[in-house]
Amino acid sequence: KGKQYFAWRMPLYPLPAVLAIAMWFYIFISTGYTMMMGGITVTLLGIIAYMIKAKHNQEWPFTATLPIGEATLQQLTDEGNE
């Protein structure tokens, strides 16, 4: 689709994204050890809960179909080997 597809451009890309990541990392580190471990624990528990739900509902990543079409992973790998 090219550059014309996007409605706007980020000035000074990727500097704003790198600065935002650095600032959030600083905020995370400055909260202290207890809060950092609490945040990491909650994040990991959320990932585990999602994976259990996805496995139960046979959703990504536990399915052979891609979420953006009807092609299966096996069909795509077979096409690439031809």
Side-chain angles (χ1 to χ4, degrees):
K1 295 182 181 183
K3 292 181 181 180
Q4 301 298 339
Y5 177 73
F6 298 104
W8 57 275
R9 292 175 34 114
M10 180 187 291
L12 303 173
Y13 176 81
L15 184 62
V18 172
L19 286 175
I21 291 169
M23 288 187 309
W24 280 112
F25 184 72
Y26 173 76
I27 291 169
F28 180 70
I29 296 298
S30 68
T31 60
Y33 180 78
T34 304
M35 292 299 286
M36 285 175 33
M37 290 299 111
I40 290 170
T41 302
V42 168
T43 301
L44 290 176
L45 288 174
I47 291 169
I48 291 168
Y50 170 76
M51 291 297 180
I52 291 170
K53 176 195 156 296
K55 178 75 170 174
H56 181 265
N57 294 341
Q58 296 180 341
E59 297 173 343
W60 177 91
F62 301 103
T63 182
T65 58
L66 296 173
I68 54 172
E70 298 301 321
T72 64
L73 295 174
Q74 186 64 37
Q75 289 171 338
L76 291 176
T77 55
D78 289 344
E79 290 173 4
N81 293 333
E82 293 176 357

